[in-house]
Amino acid sequence: MGSWTNRDVISLRDFSKSDLLHLFEKTKEVKEGRYGQLDKTVALLFFEPSTRTYGSFDSAAKRMGCKVIGIQDPDTASLKKGESTYDTVRMFVGYGADALVIRHPRAGAPKYVAEAFDVPVINGGDDGHEHPTQAMLDLFTIWEKFGGFEGLKVGIMGDLRYGRTASSLAYGLAKWGVRMRFIAPDLLQIHWRNDRLEEQLREMGADFEKTDQVKLDDLDVLYVTRIQKERFVDETEYKKVKGSFHLGQNSLKGVKNKMIILHPLPRVDELSPDIDRMDHAWYFRQAENGLYVRMALLELILGD
Amino acid sequence: MGDLLVNRLKNGIVIDHVVSGKGIHIITLLAEKTAGHRVILLQHAESRKMGTKDLIKLEDVKLEDTDLQFISLFAPNATVNFIENEEVVRKHSVKAPEMVSGLIRCPNARCITNDPGEAEFLVSRLKRVKTGYICDYCEQVWTTKTYPDGWSANKVGV
Ligand SMILES: [Zn+2]
């Protein structure tokens, strides 16, 4: 296991199984109320606004007793027009930031900042590239429900071509040899991605299949992501896809009793609200877990 | 015709076995080096090995290692012949390097390496993978098939 102290969190792929298990144990402790207070300063630098991710990191840092500084929205922040990312970060490092959370519209920005500064960097999402804390909370939620990953079968459904959550999750699951089913219309399947996901999964020896059929009865976890209308040239094609990838109570007939549904939220209409009261619906719990995972991360990175 | 061009060169460089249609990129990349020199590009020449190929002749031009790296990006299997007094004095088989640093910007417009504000702090980096090159920052993959035509214009100073 690598040491967590002062570690950068740039990509989920940088973390071993034992690193992640350590994080999950720590998250469980935090969730049970067992955590100390850190006398540290965390800079949340959102070069692109994201209310949810900002809110989650902000409460996580404050609950851990950290002082929060930074930029919530680059348009309203008093950033000098055209100021470079480098200069902005340097300013907050100068203010005494002990850790940086970077959300950025340019892919690779968190890695660049981590290389340029000595302060640990947590990637809060860089364009369509990576969003490792999302993948960590997704994996934690599965671990919490099943106590591990052994023998699980996970369906990942929706926009698998452009979405980043699905790919980070797939890398994580592949580490444990979890069987995966990528459920999407061909237009949004993983073989169209420009980041080598499929190639790397094959190199890892991952056990996966691709299908455009919504077959759910043998799954333990169904991970649903949003399908965006903008991705389609043809409106009728979109409507067809939207129809078959919209889930309601009726679509869940015959699924395993213990099957859970996850979604990175916000949802549009891919999950009908009538699912919310079913035991399968774990997406609100998953979102709440984001807070605990981020608290645990700060404790592991900044704690003594 | 191709052979005549090669033979007639007194001093300079002949770049052979360039992927058909990609020679133009090399010429653009080497534009500073070749300014004021005679440059000949033969496109889609017949080749026993490759079907068709491009061939480039640069008169009185000297190439350095960084230039050979540029060439390797677009012509992974090219042969660079150094000509002196009409004789090939050295034959260099281009090998694609493991890492190309600072030579070329990533073609992905949404990549941090293309953020104009960062240019002075950030050195681009492409890493070799099985199918081509991958940007070390945004991790997009570029192969000889997917190099966008605009890429050569993104050359940065070293
Ligand atoms: Zn890039």
Side-chain angles (χ1 to χ4, degrees):
Chain A
M1 189 177 76
S3 164
W4 273 95
T5 309
N6 285 323
R7 191 160 178 181
D8 296 316
V9 180
I10 304 300
S11 165
L12 186 79
R13 283 166 288 160
D14 301 337
F15 295 86
S16 68
K17 285 198 282 189
S18 61
D19 289 334
L20 293 170
L21 289 173
H22 188 54
L23 172 67
F24 300 158
E25 296 287 354
K26 182 59 82 179
T27 303
K28 199 174 150 204
E29 283 175 25
V30 166
K31 199 168 175 178
E32 287 162 359
R34 292 184 284 143
Y35 57 92
Q37 294 287 289
L38 304 164
D39 183 23
K40 303 282 182 180
T41 301
V42 176
L44 306 184
L45 303 176
F46 279 52
F47 294 90
E48 166 190 76
S50 166
T51 319
R52 276 162 194 272
T53 309
Y54 186 93
S56 180
F57 272 111
D58 184 57
S59 358
K62 284 172 180 159
R63 284 208 197 187
M64 294 306 298
C66 295
K67 193 179 147 208
V68 173
I69 57 174
I71 311 158
Q72 184 167 2
D73 182 346
D75 292 333
T76 57
S78 55
L79 280 181
K80 209 169 72 202
K81 267 258 175 289
E83 181 166 35
S84 68
T85 298
Y86 183 91
D87 284 353
T88 307
V89 174
R90 193 170 55 181
M91 185 170 73
F92 284 98
V93 170
Y95 294 162
D98 297 298
L100 309 167
V101 177
I102 308 275
R103 170 101 173 186
H104 206 286
R106 299 278 192 160
K111 180 171 185 163
Y112 158 55
V113 171
E115 283 174 359
F117 296 92
D118 235 5
V119 181
V121 171
I122 300 174
N123 182 356
D126 56 335
D127 194 44
H129 181 222
E130 291 272 0
H131 195 6
T133 61
Q134 175 73 47
M136 285 166 173
L137 74 91
D138 295 340
L139 290 168
F140 170 75
T141 306
I142 296 172
W143 179 86
E144 184 186 33
K145 163 75 181 178
F146 296 99
F149 299 94
E150 266 33 83
L152 294 182
K153 194 169 210 176
V154 177
I156 304 179
M157 182 169 119
D159 183 353
L160 310 180
R161 178 178 184 174
Y162 300 100
R164 62 185 157 196
T165 47
S167 77
S168 295
L169 177 67
Y171 282 123
L173 294 171
K175 287 179 198 276
W176 273 280
V178 170
R179 284 173 298 163
M180 291 176 276
R181 177 178 300 147
F182 295 108
I183 307 164
D186 180 73
L187 185 68
L188 299 177
Q189 261 298 353
I190 56 167
H191 47 253
W192 293 109
R193 295 183 70 88
N194 58 16
D195 65 357
R196 300 204 306 147
L197 171 66
E198 189 169 2
E199 192 187 327
Q200 291 200 343
L201 288 177
R202 287 194 199 287
E203 282 169 14
M204 291 169 82
D207 183 355
F208 66 91
E209 56 182 320
K210 300 183 282 181
T211 176
D212 59 359
Q213 299 300 308
V214 184
K215 181 177 172 295
L216 311 175
D217 57 344
D218 56 343
L219 297 178
D220 301 293
V221 179
L222 176 63
Y223 193 96
V224 183
T225 64
R226 209 145 53 95
I227 291 182
Q228 287 169 296
K229 196 178 170 188
E230 307 89 85
R231 306 297 190 201
F232 293 82
V233 188
D234 183 357
E235 171 99 25
T236 49
E237 186 64 22
Y238 169 70
K239 282 195 176 133
K240 215 169 74 192
V241 165
K242 199 182 114 182
S244 50
F245 288 81
H246 167 88
L247 296 184
Q249 278 201 4
N250 284 336
S251 341
L252 300 179
K253 285 195 180 118
V255 300
K256 287 186 178 178
N257 282 335
K258 284 190 159 178
M259 193 267 276
I260 57 169
I261 300 172
L262 301 178
H263 189 296
L265 302 180
R267 64 176 154 181
V268 184
D269 48 14
E270 56 278 352
L271 285 179
S272 162
D274 68 11
I275 295 178
D276 294 359
R277 21 190 172 87
M278 300 176 85
D279 291 338
H280 302 298
W282 267 54
Y283 31 89
F284 295 121
R285 184 178 185 132
Q286 173 195 7
E288 192 191 317
N289 280 341
L291 172 69
Y292 303 120
V293 166
R294 288 168 181 130
M295 288 170 74
L297 272 178
L298 291 173
E299 177 151 321
L300 287 172
I301 294 167
L302 294 176
D304 303 316
Chain B
M1 171 88 179
D3 283 349
L4 280 177
L5 285 168
V6 177
N7 291 341
R8 242 188 265 148
L9 184 66
K10 192 155 187 266
N11 289 301
I13 305 281
V14 175
I15 307 170
D16 200 358
H17 305 116
V18 175
V19 176
S20 214
K22 298 291 175 188
I24 187 75
H25 291 295
I26 294 177
I27 292 192
T28 317
L29 285 168
L30 298 176
E32 274 172 48
K33 266 272 149 75
T34 58
H37 295 270
R38 277 199 283 189
V39 172
I40 291 166
L41 166 64
L42 186 61
Q43 282 188 312
H44 314 303
E46 276 176 33
S47 162
R48 248 184 307 145
K49 232 176 23 181
M50 307 170 67
T52 60
K53 65 177 183 185
D54 283 8
L55 185 135
I56 296 162
K57 184 184 129 177
L58 311 168
E59 196 177 50
D60 292 329
V61 170
K62 295 215 178 344
L63 292 184
E64 288 150 45
D65 281 355
T66 50
D67 303 315
L68 296 175
Q69 286 196 3
F70 276 135
I71 293 167
S72 70
L73 284 175
F74 292 97
N77 298 307
T79 316
V80 181
N81 301 287
F82 296 76
I83 315 277
E84 281 173 25
N85 293 317
E86 299 189 9
E87 285 195 11
V88 178
V89 293
R90 188 182 146 210
K91 240 185 205 303
H92 174 89
S93 290
V94 171
K95 286 274 174 296
E98 289 303 307
M99 179 94 92
V100 183
S101 202
L103 290 178
I104 298 244
R105 288 208 178 204
C106 171
N108 174 12
R110 300 185 64 87
C111 175
I112 185 65
T113 59
N114 287 313
D115 205 332
E118 311 311 319
E120 55 181 299
F121 312 107
L122 180 57
V123 176
S124 68
R125 211 157 52 218
L126 295 172
K127 270 187 181 166
R128 183 154 179 73
V129 292
K130 224 186 286 171
T131 45
Y133 280 89
I134 180 170
C135 171
D136 207 19
Y137 289 95
C138 75
E139 296 187 276
Q140 283 218 22
V141 183
W142 308 101
T143 66
T144 40
K145 285 197 188 79
T146 59
Y147 288 150
D149 290 340
W151 194 9
S152 46
N154 285 324
K155 182 187 164 187
V156 289
V158 263

